[in-house]
Amino acid sequence: MANKFSTKPRVFDGTDFAFWCDKMQSYIMAEDYDVWQKVAQPYEIPEQIDTVALKTEFNNNCKARNILLSGISRSDFDRVSHLKTAHEIWNALSNFHQGTNNIKELRRDLLKKEYIKFEMKPREALDDYLSR
């Protein structure tokens, strides 16, 4: 019997989503690369699971989905628990916490505008300005 080293997945606490993604990907790939494929690649649940191959794919999706749901907070769980595939859950979490490319560009533009407009207020002390 082979010894299998396993730890619990890191639970996402709402900060540093990119770090959590890397840790979760490593965790799932260490569990089983085929399970990670159900996260990374789109998967459609078949209406009938009547072959060994279809059952294996379905089980891998269930394992990946379970790992993902075990690694998120209650608020994220409520947001994605209705999704049936691990790939859908992964994408929904990514879109919510990182945003799509359009949202990222919009955030970047807003921060750039705030930075450009940043100036010292009248009668503001230098220390207050620098700390702000």
Side-chain angles (χ1 to χ4, degrees), residues 60-124:
N60 286 339
N61 178 67
C62 291
K63 288 176 188 176
R65 187 175 183 275
N66 182 50
I67 292 169
L68 289 174
L69 292 176
S70 298
I72 57 176
S73 66
R74 176 60 192 237
S75 60
D76 282 329
F77 178 85
D78 291 340
R79 188 175 292 118
V80 299
S81 64
H82 67 282
L83 300 172
K84 299 300 179 200
T85 70
H87 183 73
E88 292 172 334
I89 292 171
W90 187 262
N91 285 341
L93 290 170
S94 294
N95 286 339
F96 183 78
H97 290 287
Q98 288 184 316
T100 62
N101 287 335
N102 292 340
I103 292 172
K104 287 179 189 177
E105 287 179 33
L106 180 62
R107 286 181 187 158
R108 206 172 313 136
D109 289 343
L110 288 173
L111 288 172
K112 187 176 177 181
K113 286 178 184 176
E114 283 182 36
Y115 177 73
I116 290 170
K117 291 180 180 179
F118 187 69
E119 59 186 32
M120 194 168 178
K121 295 179 183 177
R123 296 190 175 113
E124 183 177 27

Side-chain angles (χ1 to χ4, degrees), residues 33 36-44 61 85-88 91:
Y33 184 74
W36 169 249
Q37 288 301 309
K38 292 300 169 240
V39 175
Q41 302 295 321
Y43 171 70
E44 207 168 299
N61 178 67
T85 70
H87 183 73
E88 292 172 334
N91 285 341

